[in-house]
Amino acid sequence: MSFRTTADYVEDVSPGSGALPPRARYAASDAKSLSLNGRWRFRLSATADAEDDTFAEPGHDTGDWAEVTVPGHWVLQGHGAPIYTNHLYPFPVDPPRVPTENPTGDHVRVFDLPADWPADGGAVLRFDGVESCARVWLNGTDIGEFKGSRLPHEFAVGHLLRPAGNVLAVRVHQWSAGSYLEDQDQWWLPGIFRDVTLLHRPPGCVLDFFVHASYDHVSGEGTLRVDSDTDGRVTVPELSLDLATGESATVPVEPWTAETPRLYDGVLATEGERVPLRIGFRTVELADGLIKVNGKAVLFKGVNRHEWHPERGRALDAETMREDVLLMKRHNINAVRTSHYPPHPAFLDLCDELGLWVIDECDLETHGFTEQAWRDNPVDDDRWTPALLDRAARMVERDKNHPSVVMWSLGNEAGTGRGLTAMAEWIRGRDSSRLIHYEGDIDCRDTDVYSRMYAAHAEVERIGRGLDGGTHKRRQLPFIQCEYAHAMGNGPGGLADYQRLFEAYDRLQGGFVWEWIDHGIRHPELGYAYGGDFGEELHDGNFVCDGLLFPDRTPSPGLAEYKKVIEPVGFDGDGPAGTVRVTNKQDFADLSALAFEWAYQVEGETVESGSLAVPALAPGASAEVKLPEPPAPHPDGGETQWTVRALLAADTAWAPRGHVVAWGQFPVTARQAPAVAATARPVRGADRITLGPAAFDARSGALLSVGAVEVRDLQLDVWRAPTDNDNGASWQDDVRHGPLWRTLGLHRMRHRLDAVEAAGDALTVRTRVAPAAREFGLAAVYRWTSDGTRLRLTVSVAPEGDWTVPLPRLGVRFALPAADEVRWFGGGPGEAYPDTRAASMTGRWRSTVDALQTPYVRPQENGARAGVRWAELGGLRVEGDPEFWLTARRWTTEQLDAARHLTDLTPGDAVWVNLDHGQHGIGSQSCGPGPLPRYVLRAEPAEFSFVFTELG
């Protein structure tokens, strides 16, 4: 005799049993509903069958159980711990089997029906999301079980309801056969994490319905037909439409686009129910080898969005979802890929309302099978096909009435196989009005677009020029980067270079940055926790923190950069001529919603400003606009420039009037380099050398002070705390600079003093800077001169030996006594690096030292300001020749390098300042390509100067 030690349904490859067929979701109707969200009784067991099902019986005593909040994840509410893996399954790969150690949460909710709950009709119990497998009982009756964590499931329960004391019991298993289909680079978080709702179903109620609302861009007319399982009528008062379901009508309409999200309010009325409709007329097609909406090719300026909240995980509320969409719109993002599952349905309502193109992705990823060379991959195993089709159907049926959804995605990183083909065929048969996407279909057998991840710039250009290989079908299809520009830590770099390619070649229809938000979990000791912080057996560290937002939804510098790179208005100016060419980069809207203004700046300060008359250019159109006559030049000269901005002319649903949409800057007169006449001479004392306002150590030549300002440890510096992109992805074949820098010892450079020469009008200090155990190094010469008030340092650097790697940075570092405020003229307000400086606006800025820091979840190089002409902090003014990169922080680079979390960083008694002549680029190599060659900081001869002046 043998028996299974786990509940059989957990390891069944089928999608479940007992659930109703999937159908369209609607946000509201006049039928009654009852939210069952709130506090539930909860019991956690270590295995799937540790407890019997008597807990589901009415009258079972749960008084000594814990409580959890639904929607929610029990591991974020003090029961167990989350697990983060990128693609490795955190259990042995033996499909469909799962471990005996299978955390199982029993949930119980007792509820009464409202006094006005109708007595007629039926009722449906709806679960919008449960991870990963659930069995459900109502009043002791087993009504079924299901898998498909991010998908809705409904059960007919009207015959089981009582007026009072209803007992809803749900057993949730962390691991199931479904877990093999949900390996989606995120925290594994079991629980009932989306809404649970009881819906009254009156006689003659609305069942499933499909809103078909196409648009003919030639005639300007829309055609509406609503197919419904229950006969009824459709009314759209604004269009004077009153139709029977199944009938169609064609009328003039304003189309829906992401730029102009025009929705018409309507009603679907059946005998027993009235359902509000929000109808957007638009047509999606593949035409002329391009993705077209309403007859025009679109350019996706998108992001991938996992659902995330730092305290509630994937249990998002309406306010958080709205905040996401508003932030996207305010940063010029026009598209979202719902990686890697359908989002909470309310998110799509917001995309319809506010305007975002959506690639709606199925709840499917089997990435962990790469470890077995895709052997036994479920998507190529017929036993799993019913589950795949169920997931496709639940996505399509739920979301088919959203105009924002322009493509269905079969899933992500699941290899290829017969199951994906079956999904594509089913979707085409059900909905021919949208295109089909899937990145892993390299030959485009099942898809309508050629989609790739992290293709390097050069390959993207070859694809744009039609020079890529592949099947004939693939070569005829539009190209998108469904993931690119990995936004992990400091970065991503190279965004502007990608965007130039997207705009240059019609076939390149944009991409989606990975990803929207860092998935840090708020932690009382660590600030934000990431992989490994919960004792996971396997984990992928901070690879889960790779977003354009920090976990608390504060925009990162990467998001500011992306906003600038994808701005919908282009400016190309001739500063001395006083002209600017304005280009409308939108696909559908003209510029009538924008107002334009100019400012004329001298030495970074605005001296005159005003409004700029720009015509309401059509999409793609340009016009040259004359700027006003600049004011008379200042008698002392100075650097001058124009700044032109495009702003919202009126309040919109997503931002207020005056919100800056785009900007450009154009120099008029160039900067004059600082000049210091070498009139002072060094004077040697017993232990000091003085030169003008400065004092130096007589033995080492080290700078000690400038006037009354103490300065210590000024020396050549080449090290930075490696960024996530410096460290690169372990699976990449390209050179990963961070590990190589460390192997070669650039983090432990030694400084050898060769000579201190105080002669003539200069103090010269000769040194060699090199790592232990290596032959190569840098000869560095510091030449100090002064005019009696100001102190000039000229640094000459010459590489010695065979340098096979770029430098992380090149400049000088020193410590000042405690300082707080920093003022500078240069790029700002945020950080910038060679390939992340599009958003760096030249002007005068001020900040505290603390505010200069960028709080990446894993500490790393951050906070540099680009193109700095001069800076003031700690009692010193520093001018650069040429411009320099400024960094100031209350800890050393070595301390920053050693930290794993922000809480590891403790401010010291000094401010460490870096004045850099060069910085190595950032790139995107935490998952994508490294910096382009022009952003690589090569070890080459260099000379640069700084002028120090004590502030009065």
Side-chain angles (χ1 to χ4, degrees):
M1 179 179 178
S2 64
F3 60 90
R4 294 285 299 277
T5 59
T6 185
D8 290 344
Y9 65 88
V10 173
E11 294 181 342
D12 191 334
V13 299
S14 74
S17 65
L20 295 168
R23 65 184 181 118
R25 182 192 185 273
Y26 43 91
S29 84
D30 63 352
K32 292 290 184 183
S33 66
L34 176 65
S35 171
L36 297 177
N37 296 344
R39 301 293 285 173
W40 290 49
R41 290 291 185 176
F42 177 79
R43 176 182 67 187
L44 181 63
S45 302
T47 64
D49 56 359
E51 302 284 351
D52 60 29
D53 58 11
T54 57
F55 81 100
E57 296 291 337
H60 185 89
D61 185 6
T62 60
D64 60 348
W65 289 24
E67 286 191 343
V68 294
T69 296
V70 171
H73 307 277
W74 70 69
V75 293
L76 297 183
Q77 299 184 61
H79 306 280
I83 299 168
Y84 168 61
T85 60
N86 168 29
H87 76 278
L88 296 174
Y89 288 108
F91 48 79
V93 179
D94 183 23
R97 303 295 302 279
V98 295
T100 300
E101 298 84 7
N102 188 355
T104 295
D106 290 333
H107 300 69
V108 174
R109 171 73 187 266
V110 179
F111 65 93
D112 299 336
L113 294 179
D116 59 351
W117 190 268
D120 63 337
V124 165
L125 179 64
R126 182 182 185 93
F127 294 89
D128 278 307
V130 183
E131 183 177 332
S132 73
C133 172
R135 192 170 197 95
V136 186
W137 295 261
L138 182 61
N139 292 328
T141 298
D142 182 351
I143 60 174
E145 85 283 340
F146 61 90
K147 307 177 189 76
S149 298
R150 269 66 70 173
L151 295 162
H153 294 82
E154 293 183 333
F155 298 87
V157 297
H159 60 295
L160 300 174
L161 288 173
R162 304 169 179 174
N166 292 283
V167 178
L168 176 58
V170 185
R171 174 164 285 172
V172 180
H173 307 281
Q174 174 154 21
W175 310 123
S176 70
S179 301
Y180 285 99
L181 304 180
E182 297 173 3
D183 186 24
Q184 292 148 322
D185 185 10
Q186 61 182 336
W187 293 99
W188 299 86
L189 298 174
I192 306 171
F193 68 94
R194 286 187 185 160
D195 305 286
V196 182
T197 312
L198 184 68
L199 303 170
H200 177 239
R201 299 287 75 211
C205 65
V206 172
L207 297 175
D208 191 25
F209 64 96
F210 197 160
V211 177
H212 303 275
S214 62
Y215 178 72
D216 185 330
H217 66 278
V218 176
S219 68
E221 294 176 318
T223 299
L224 176 66
R225 186 184 82 247
V226 178
D227 295 332
S228 174
D229 287 359
T230 306
D231 290 342
R233 297 200 69 80
V234 176
T235 54
V236 186
E238 191 175 355
L239 297 175
S240 301
L241 290 179
D242 186 344
L243 304 171
T245 53
E247 292 182 352
S248 64
T250 300
V251 292
V253 296
E254 298 174 43
W256 188 98
T257 74
E259 296 168 7
T260 57
R262 180 66 159 94
L263 293 173
Y264 291 88
D265 290 326
V267 174
L268 167 60
T270 63
E271 178 186 353
E273 188 175 14
R274 292 172 58 84
V275 173
L277 304 177
R278 303 211 77 192
I279 302 166
F281 291 88
R282 58 104 185 95
T283 294
V284 184
E285 62 181 337
L286 184 64
D288 306 317
L290 298 173
I291 303 164
K292 292 187 176 182
V293 179
N294 303 336
K296 292 187 177 181
V298 296
L299 184 62
F300 295 117
K301 304 171 182 179
V303 292
N304 287 273
R305 176 186 175 267
H306 265 303
E307 295 180 308
W308 189 250
H309 187 280
E311 292 154 355
R312 300 191 298 272
R314 287 187 286 279
L316 298 189
D317 58 9
E319 182 180 347
T320 298
M321 288 183 276
R322 180 170 286 273
E323 184 178 359
D324 277 349
V325 177
L326 292 177
L327 281 169
M328 290 177 189
K329 294 290 290 185
R330 290 168 185 166
H331 287 86
N332 295 331
I333 290 164
N334 72 358
V336 62
R337 174 177 173 233
T338 69
S339 52
H340 297 294
Y341 42 82
H344 190 292
F347 179 78
L348 296 180
D349 292 336
L350 292 165
C351 295
D352 293 343
E353 173 193 339
L354 297 170
L356 288 172
W357 308 117
V358 175
I359 297 180
D360 198 355
E361 193 147 273
C362 194
D363 191 8
L364 172 63
E365 180 169 338
T366 64
H367 198 175
F369 282 90
T370 56
E371 300 300 308
Q372 288 75 37
W374 296 107
R375 187 178 67 255
D376 299 326
N377 182 10
V379 305
D380 200 29
D381 183 334
D382 291 338
R383 296 175 303 161
W384 296 80
T385 299
L388 303 183
L389 290 172
D390 180 76
R391 289 170 184 247
R394 291 188 182 279
M395 170 184 70
V396 171
E397 301 295 10
R398 191 195 77 167
D399 296 341
K400 60 182 176 283
N401 295 326
H402 289 283
S404 58
V405 176
V406 293
M407 277 193 268
W408 302 116
S409 179
L410 303 180
N412 184 68
E413 293 178 318
T416 57
R418 291 165 287 177
L420 290 167
T421 300
M423 293 169 68
E425 290 175 348
W426 183 90
I427 292 173
R428 284 198 174 92
R430 178 58 173 147
D431 178 23
S432 61
S433 69
R434 294 176 173 92
L435 306 183
I436 293 180
H437 167 272
Y438 176 66
E439 176 269 339
D441 184 12
I442 200 70
D443 292 328
C444 303
R445 179 180 64 178
D446 299 318
T447 56
D448 298 311
V449 295
Y450 175 31
S451 178
R452 288 281 302 282
M453 294 180 180
Y454 306 107
H457 298 79
E459 183 181 5
V460 170
E461 182 163 21
R462 288 196 300 273
I463 293 170
R465 295 173 63 191
L467 301 179
D468 63 299
T471 62
H472 176 76
K473 179 184 178 183
R474 188 180 94 182
R475 297 196 306 274
Q476 308 306 308
L477 294 179
F479 175 82
I480 64 170
Q481 287 243 62
C482 68
E483 293 180 21
Y484 82 114
H486 197 247
M488 185 178 179
N490 187 334
L495 281 170
D497 305 277
Y498 274 120
Q499 195 64 27
R500 279 192 286 270
L501 294 172
F502 296 157
E503 294 177 3
Y505 299 98
D506 290 344
R507 187 190 179 193
L508 307 181
Q509 293 197 250
F512 297 77
V513 169
W514 185 268
E515 66 156 307
W516 177 237
I517 187 169
D518 287 344
H519 294 203
I521 294 176
R522 200 180 301 278
H523 191 282
E525 284 85 38
L526 303 177
Y528 290 108
Y530 49 77
D533 288 332
F534 297 97
E536 299 101 307
E537 180 182 21
L538 292 174
H539 67 84
D540 286 288
N542 67 311
F543 202 71
V544 76
C545 294
D546 47 11
L548 294 168
L549 297 181
F550 296 123
D552 64 356
R553 284 182 161 72
T554 299
S556 75
L559 184 55
E561 179 79 356
Y562 195 35
K563 175 186 177 179
K564 173 60 180 169
V565 164
I566 61 175
E567 59 191 10
V569 180
F571 297 107
D572 183 15
D574 183 334
T579 60
V580 58
R581 175 162 289 275
V582 182
T583 301
N584 181 0
K585 294 186 175 185
Q586 298 177 109
D587 296 323
F588 297 93
D590 64 21
L591 296 186
S592 59
L594 300 178
F596 293 81
E597 65 179 25
W598 61 268
Y600 188 78
Q601 291 152 331
V602 177
E603 292 292 300
E605 290 190 315
T606 297
V607 294
E608 285 193 20
S609 62
S611 60
L612 186 66
V614 175
L617 297 169
S622 298
E624 189 168 283
V625 178
K626 182 66 177 174
L627 294 163
E629 288 297 318
H634 192 276
D636 295 333
E639 181 178 357
T640 59
Q641 66 179 9
W642 296 101
T643 297
V644 179
R645 291 179 174 88
L647 313 93
L648 289 179
D651 291 347
T652 69
W654 49 270
R657 176 179 180 272
H659 168 80
V660 177
V661 171
W663 57 271
Q665 290 188 308
F666 317 105
V668 179
T669 57
R671 171 186 183 237
Q672 296 179 355
V676 176
T679 55
R681 292 178 173 269
V683 177
R684 183 182 291 274
D687 58 356
R688 293 196 172 196
I689 297 173
T690 58
L691 175 61
F696 301 82
D697 181 86
R699 182 189 62 81
S700 66
L703 178 66
L704 301 175
S705 62
V706 177
V709 179
E710 177 187 351
V711 182
R712 60 183 172 90
D713 298 330
L714 187 149
Q715 59 186 16
L716 191 76
D717 192 20
V718 300
W719 181 243
R720 73 184 187 194
T723 67
D724 292 314
N725 287 304
D726 289 337
N727 286 331
S730 60
W731 61 84
Q732 290 180 324
D733 295 330
D734 302 55
V735 172
R736 296 186 294 132
H737 289 125
L740 186 55
W741 289 338
R742 206 177 295 276
T743 297
L744 295 177
L746 299 193
H747 63 305
R748 48 177 176 78
M749 301 290 273
R750 299 289 187 262
H751 296 255
R752 186 185 74 203
L753 178 63
D754 288 341
V756 177
E757 303 166 355
D761 59 4
L763 170 64
T764 303
V765 181
R766 304 182 187 278
T767 69
R768 186 175 190 270
V769 183
R774 304 290 173 182
E775 290 184 306
F776 61 82
L778 299 167
V781 179
Y782 309 89
R783 187 172 188 273
W784 299 92
T785 57
S786 175
D787 61 3
T789 301
R790 295 180 294 168
L791 179 72
R792 185 184 186 98
L793 166 64
T794 300
V795 182
S796 302
V797 180
E800 297 179 343
D802 186 14
W803 278 87
T804 60
V805 297
L807 295 172
R809 69 176 351 127
L810 180 66
V812 296
R813 179 178 80 166
F814 56 89
L816 294 174
D820 187 28
E821 186 177 72
V822 183
R823 298 177 64 248
W824 74 97
F825 173 28
E831 78 176 23
Y833 289 83
D835 53 351
T836 68
R837 62 183 299 180
S840 184
M841 177 182 282
T842 301
R844 291 204 189 190
W845 308 100
R846 65 174 59 210
S847 171
T848 64
V849 170
D850 293 337
L852 288 177
Q853 315 311 307
T854 304
Y856 296 114
V857 174
R858 185 193 74 81
Q860 56 198 273
E861 166 62 33
N862 73 89
R865 268 54 180 181
V868 176
R869 284 74 161 157
W870 56 257
E872 296 177 348
L873 74 165
L876 280 186
R877 178 184 174 96
V878 183
E879 299 171 83
D881 182 12
E883 300 162 2
F884 60 96
W885 306 84
L886 170 70
T887 310
R889 51 178 69 106
R890 299 188 189 278
W891 35 78
T892 65
T893 299
E894 292 73 20
Q895 290 168 329
L896 183 64
D897 190 12
R900 290 188 67 248
H901 295 88
L902 291 172
T903 50
D904 296 332
L905 293 169
T906 303
D909 60 357
V911 170
W912 291 89
V913 181
N914 277 89
L915 311 176
D916 289 313
H917 176 63
Q919 278 271 0
H920 184 62
I922 296 296
S924 188
Q925 204 177 8
S926 54
C927 195
L932 286 167
R934 63 178 168 275
Y935 304 124
V936 171
L937 181 60
R938 306 186 188 282
E940 298 173 336
E943 183 172 284
F944 48 93
S945 297
F946 303 103
V947 176
F948 300 88
T949 307
E950 182 183 12
L951 294 172

